């Protein structure tokens, strides 16, 4: 394979791998965000182009398949990505996307209309492989005309980026569009005149840049975006501080407070994320909010199953704990700002002024002068509300809502994760118990049919007669743990020390391993921890071996039954005569089951049965 073909194959494979992985990552970071959806669509189209281009080169190299169709598919996919990119840019920059959306929609419609004739060789045709390893093809006049649409879209994206040069990732986004533009023009439309791997290398580098923005800088993740917004808010306050020296102390104090709040919110979210029990998570969350932010009361309400009531599940104040004991709940959409927030999903503030003062009539929280309720939203669904109350009038502003909402979002995710983990653990435990019960029932059936399953090894004859179970063996079975025999010899032979190890399988005790050993010196225990661990390991291996043997025996029995049924059925099907079938069936069943006699009777509902086929 020529070196240039190796370069193009490697670049296409890299673009396919990185594009697909980054598309999945972008969707995972914000599945419900239109920006992430559009970027994932662009990455998917670039991956489709890379896959089609890679397939085209292998087909040309092997001189097989239909390279014309793959060339057309690669052309359409790359054009679609170029048309969608300006829409992604406009939404990322937060500018009016109406023009970009309209242009993208028109371009995609034109692309769809040209896709069908493109496979007939209207845009590009005659793909081939040059001796140097480059792919050659002819660009038809319609192809040059169609490329103007993609080039115009890419130039429009560069124009949008040039108007927002102050944004940090803009330089990388500019590089991405520039690389795709250069690759599209020089390596795509002008490929017949420039037989170099420009397009594949340019797209691979562009996709790598997008991967860096997605993975390293997390530019398209909702959480970093919100944190970036808060950081920009802090930066704006710093500029206000420089511009207004007369308000230096006030602005400095506010910035310090905001920084503490952000740091505190981050700390609370981090500590909450490490708790897996829902109740413990809620209690620690409200306690940390009250302690770290200095609020009079913090409470967490969670929606009940029918989403009719918001039920108080955790509270930090003494009054809140009294409400918790009474099972305090608020009707969604009807009672208090918590009920309103649980219904609308929007944060709400109540101050001790105007009409909102009516909310502060709770005798359990008489010192409340300000209150804010924030929705707990996870995976697009409202699961409850975070209620914070303060003894200061007008204690909450918009910035406080932003910080607390960020914290509420993290708490909601932690609650959801804890619930999912608990359900998973419950499911695993239920499955484990079910498997244990099935194992116990199977062994009970086996022991009912074979009650003398035991083995004894006593080559020196130190045990007289049949060894009794004794209290140690019974306790080992009941408690499922290793039990030592009595030191006074009451539960062991004179001069011997007894150790009973349960044979455990899936939490069920199948039996016991009963061992006896003489001490090496008087008043010493011959069973050291190392020996006990060795016997426990052997007991576990014995349990596995016994279960394997039981399963093998069950399998053999089922196979024998199936074989028996098949043989009897085959004998009965050998004849079409009714009497012969009945006699054959009675005889076959008697012989197969080793029965003394078998009778088959056919009964007419209107006639008293008086005839039967017997086999004795």
């Amino acid at each position: 394979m020529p070196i240039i073909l190796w370069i193009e194959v490697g670049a296409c494979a890299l673009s396919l791998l990185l594009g697909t992985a980054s598309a999945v990552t972008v969707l995972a970071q914000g599945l419900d965000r239109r920006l992430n959806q559009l970027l994932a669509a662009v990455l998917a189209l670039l991956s489709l182009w890379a896959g089609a281009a890679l397939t085209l080169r292998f087909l040309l190299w092997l001189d097989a398949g239909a390279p014309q169709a793959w060339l057309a598919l690669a052309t359409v996919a790359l054009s679609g990505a170029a048309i969608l990119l300006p829409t992604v840019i406009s939404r990322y920059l937060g500018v009016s996307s109406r023009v970009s959306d309209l242009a993208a929609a028109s371009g995609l419609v034109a692309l769809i209309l040209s896709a069908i004739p493109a496979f007939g060789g209207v845009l590009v045709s005659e793909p081939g492989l040059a001796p140097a390893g480059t792919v050659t093809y002819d660009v038809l006049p319609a192809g040059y005309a169609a490329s103007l649409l993609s080039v115009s879209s890419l130039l429009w994206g560069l124009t949008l980026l040039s108007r927002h040069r102050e944004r940090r990732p803009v330089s990388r986004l500019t590089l991405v569009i520039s690389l795709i533009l250069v690759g599209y023009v020089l390596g795509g439309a002008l490929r017949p005149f420039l037989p170099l791997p420009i397009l594949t290398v340019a797209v691979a580098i562009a996709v790598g840049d997008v991967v860096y923005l997605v993975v390293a800088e997390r530019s398209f993740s909702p959480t970093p975006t919100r944190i970036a917004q808060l950081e920009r808010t802090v930066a704006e306050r710093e500029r206000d501080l420089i511009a207004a020296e007369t308000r230096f102390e006030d602005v400095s104090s506010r910035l310090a407070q905001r920084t503490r709040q952000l740091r505190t919110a981050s700390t609370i979210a981090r500590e909450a994320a490490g708790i897996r029990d829902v109740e413990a998570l809620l209690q620690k969350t409200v306690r940390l909010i009250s302690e770290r932010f200095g609020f009079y009361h913090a409470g967490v309400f969670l929606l009940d199953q029918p989403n009719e009531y918001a039920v108080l599940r955790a509270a930090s104040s003494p009054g809140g704990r009294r409400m918790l004991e009474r099972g305090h709940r608020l009707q969604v959409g009807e009672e208090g700002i918590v009920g309103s927030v649980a219904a609308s999903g929007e944060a709400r503030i109540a101050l001790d002024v105007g009409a909102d003062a009516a909310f502060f009539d709770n005798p359990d929280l008489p010192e409340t002068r300000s209150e804010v309720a924030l929705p707990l939203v996870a995976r697009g669904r409202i699961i409850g509300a975070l209620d914070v109350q303060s003894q200061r009038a007008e204690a909450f502003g918009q910035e406080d809502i932003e910080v607390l909402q960020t914290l509420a979002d993290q708490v909601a995710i932690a609650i959801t994760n804890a619930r999912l983990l608990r359900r998973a653990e419950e499911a695993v435990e239920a499955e484990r118990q079910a498997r244990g019960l099935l194992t116990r029932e199977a062994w009970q059936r086996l022991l009912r049919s074979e009650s003398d399953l035991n083995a004894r090894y006593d080559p020196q004859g130190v045990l007289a007669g049949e060894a009794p179970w004794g209290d140690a063996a019974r306790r080992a079975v009941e408690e499922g743990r290793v039990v030592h025999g009595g030191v006074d010899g009451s539960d062991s032979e004179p001069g011997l020390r007894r150790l009973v190890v349960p044979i455990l399988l899936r939490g069920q005790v199948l039996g016991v391993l009963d061992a006896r050993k003489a001490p090496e010196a008087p008043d010493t225990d011959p069973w050291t921890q190392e020996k006990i661990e060795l016997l426990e390991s052997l007991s576990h291996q014995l349990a596995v071996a016994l279960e394997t043997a039981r399963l093998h025996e069950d399998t053999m029995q089922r196979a024998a039954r199936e074989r028996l049924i098949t043989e009897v059925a085959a004998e009965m099907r050998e004849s079409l005569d009714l009497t012969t079938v009945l006699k054959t069936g009675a005889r076959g069943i008697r012989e197969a089951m080793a029965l003394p006699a078998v009778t088959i009777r056919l009964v007419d509902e209107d006639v008293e049965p008086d005839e039967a086929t017997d086999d004795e």
Side-chain angles (χ1 to χ4, degrees):
M1 184 182 291
I3 185 63
I4 293 181
L5 186 57
W6 272 113
I7 294 173
E8 293 203 317
V9 167
C12 290
L14 182 62
S15 300
L16 177 60
L17 178 63
L18 294 179
T20 304
S22 57
V24 174
T25 303
V26 167
L27 287 178
Q29 290 177 347
L31 182 60
D32 55 343
R33 298 179 72 208
R34 181 58 58 86
L35 173 60
N36 291 57
Q37 295 170 0
L38 290 172
L39 180 59
V42 171
L43 291 169
L45 287 172
L46 290 176
S47 300
L48 179 60
W49 166 85
L54 185 63
T55 304
L56 170 66
R57 281 153 177 78
F58 277 116
L59 291 179
L60 292 174
W61 183 51
L62 298 174
D63 193 16
Q68 173 64 38
W70 291 99
L71 176 61
L73 180 60
T75 303
V76 172
L78 185 59
S79 299
I83 292 172
L84 280 178
L85 261 177
T87 304
V88 174
I89 297 301
S90 62
R91 289 187 177 274
Y92 179 79
L93 296 176
V95 299
S96 177
S97 60
R98 183 174 303 175
V99 176
S100 298
D101 291 346
L102 182 61
S106 301
L108 289 176
V109 170
L111 183 63
I112 293 172
L113 294 177
S114 64
I116 296 177
F119 286 92
V122 175
L123 303 179
V124 289
S125 64
E126 300 298 330
L129 188 64
T134 58
V135 176
T136 62
Y137 51 82
D138 293 333
V139 181
L140 302 179
Y144 284 111
S147 65
L148 293 176
L149 182 62
S150 300
V151 172
S152 301
S153 298
L154 293 172
L155 291 176
W156 171 244
L158 289 175
T159 303
L160 290 176
L161 291 172
S162 64
R163 298 175 182 175
H164 298 80
R165 297 177 180 175
E166 73 281 359
R167 296 284 295 272
R168 185 178 60 174
V170 163
S171 59
R172 286 194 172 272
L173 291 174
T174 303
L175 178 61
V176 169
I177 292 188
S178 299
L179 286 170
I180 294 178
L181 178 62
V182 171
Y184 191 89
V185 174
L186 298 182
L190 300 182
R191 181 60 174 265
F193 309 103
L194 296 174
L196 296 173
I198 299 175
L199 177 60
T200 53
V201 174
V203 173
I205 298 174
V207 172
D209 258 0
V210 175
V211 171
Y212 177 81
L213 290 173
V214 171
V215 177
E217 295 194 357
R218 299 178 62 83
S219 300
F220 297 93
S221 178
T223 300
T225 300
R226 182 169 292 168
I227 294 176
Q229 292 174 351
L230 294 175
E231 292 176 348
R232 287 196 297 272
T233 302
V234 174
E236 292 174 0
R237 298 298 177 269
E238 291 177 349
R239 288 194 295 269
D240 293 341
L241 178 64
I242 297 175
E245 294 182 359
T246 57
R247 297 182 299 158
F248 175 79
E249 293 183 359
D250 179 60
V251 174
S252 177
S253 175
R254 292 171 60 189
L255 286 174
Q257 179 184 2
R258 196 63 56 232
T259 303
R260 288 193 301 271
Q261 287 180 337
L262 289 172
R263 187 181 299 111
T264 301
S266 176
T267 302
I268 294 174
R270 184 171 58 254
E271 294 186 14
I275 303 175
R276 292 295 177 259
D277 180 68
V278 175
E279 297 300 328
L281 167 64
L282 299 179
Q283 292 296 338
K284 187 165 186 177
T285 297
V286 295
R287 179 177 61 81
L288 289 175
I289 290 175
S290 292
E291 292 178 356
R292 303 290 178 86
F293 286 95
F295 291 127
Y296 163 59
H297 166 83
V300 174
F301 289 79
L302 297 182
L303 297 182
D304 59 6
Q305 190 64 30
N307 292 338
E308 295 181 356
Y309 291 92
V311 182
L312 182 64
R313 297 289 300 275
S316 62
S317 65
R321 287 190 285 272
R322 289 193 297 269
M323 296 163 59
L324 192 62
E325 293 174 356
R326 295 198 309 268
H328 181 67
R329 64 179 187 173
L330 298 172
Q331 189 170 1
V332 175
E334 300 291 336
E335 298 180 74
I337 66 172
V338 171
S340 174
V341 167
S344 65
E346 298 180 357
R348 184 171 176 182
I349 296 177
L351 306 175
D352 193 11
V353 291
D356 286 331
F359 286 111
F360 306 136
D361 57 356
N362 190 338
D364 292 303
L365 302 171
E367 301 179 29
T368 298
R369 295 295 176 266
S370 301
E371 181 178 6
V372 60
L374 307 109
L376 297 175
V377 182
R379 295 180 173 88
R381 186 173 66 89
I382 301 174
I383 64 172
L386 173 63
D387 180 45
V388 181
Q389 301 183 23
S390 174
Q391 296 168 306
R392 295 187 297 109
E394 302 185 33
F396 302 105
Q398 185 60 36
E399 294 177 353
D400 300 290
I401 291 181
E402 293 178 359
V403 175
L404 291 174
Q405 185 62 67
T406 301
L407 175 60
D409 292 341
Q410 298 298 322
V411 171
I413 294 174
I415 292 173
T416 303
N417 291 340
R419 284 176 169 176
L420 292 175
L421 179 62
R422 184 184 62 187
R423 292 172 186 169
E425 290 175 345
E426 291 175 352
V428 170
E429 179 62 21
E431 181 182 0
R432 188 189 67 80
Q433 292 180 359
R435 294 180 63 186
L437 291 176
L438 291 175
T439 301
R440 184 179 183 85
E441 292 174 359
W443 276 97
Q444 288 177 346
R445 288 194 301 269
L446 178 62
L447 292 176
R448 282 194 294 268
S449 61
E450 301 182 32
S451 58
D452 59 344
L453 286 177
N454 60 77
R456 178 175 176 180
Y457 183 72
D458 185 14
Q460 299 178 3
V462 297
L463 299 179
E466 184 69 23
W469 271 80
D471 181 63
R474 283 192 293 272
R475 284 193 293 122
V477 172
E478 294 172 357
E479 301 174 9
R481 64 178 182 85
V482 177
V483 176
H484 290 263
V487 296
D488 57 356
S490 60
D491 200 23
S492 184
E493 295 296 321
L496 300 179
R497 294 295 177 89
R498 186 180 186 185
L499 186 74
V500 183
V501 181
I503 303 175
L504 292 170
L505 180 67
R506 302 189 184 102
Q508 303 295 326
V509 179
L510 304 183
V512 295
L513 177 62
D514 192 350
R516 290 172 172 82
K517 183 178 177 62
E520 298 177 358
D523 299 328
T524 61
D525 191 351
W527 297 109
T528 62
Q529 185 62 33
E530 181 181 357
K531 294 178 180 178
I532 294 174
E533 292 176 355
L534 176 60
L535 282 179
E536 287 180 327
S537 177
L538 292 173
S539 173
H540 174 71
Q541 297 299 324
L542 177 59
V544 175
L546 287 173
E547 179 68 3
T548 302
R550 185 191 65 78
L551 291 175
H552 176 71
E553 184 175 340
D554 286 349
T555 302
M556 297 300 294
Q557 291 177 354
R558 284 195 297 270
R561 287 196 297 268
E562 293 294 334
R563 184 171 59 255
L564 179 61
I565 293 172
T566 301
E567 292 174 355
V568 174
E571 290 182 6
M572 291 188 292
R573 287 196 295 267
E574 289 180 353
S575 176
L576 299 178
D577 180 68
L578 182 60
T579 302
T580 304
V581 171
L582 291 174
K583 290 182 178 181
T584 303
R587 184 178 65 256
I589 294 173
R590 183 181 68 81
E591 293 175 354
M593 300 295 293
L595 300 174
V598 171
T599 300
I600 299 177
R601 298 181 184 273
L602 299 181
V603 180
D604 189 336
E605 294 181 354
D606 300 327
V607 179
E608 183 70 20
D610 55 359
E611 294 185 3
T613 298
D614 298 336
D615 187 88
E616 298 183 358

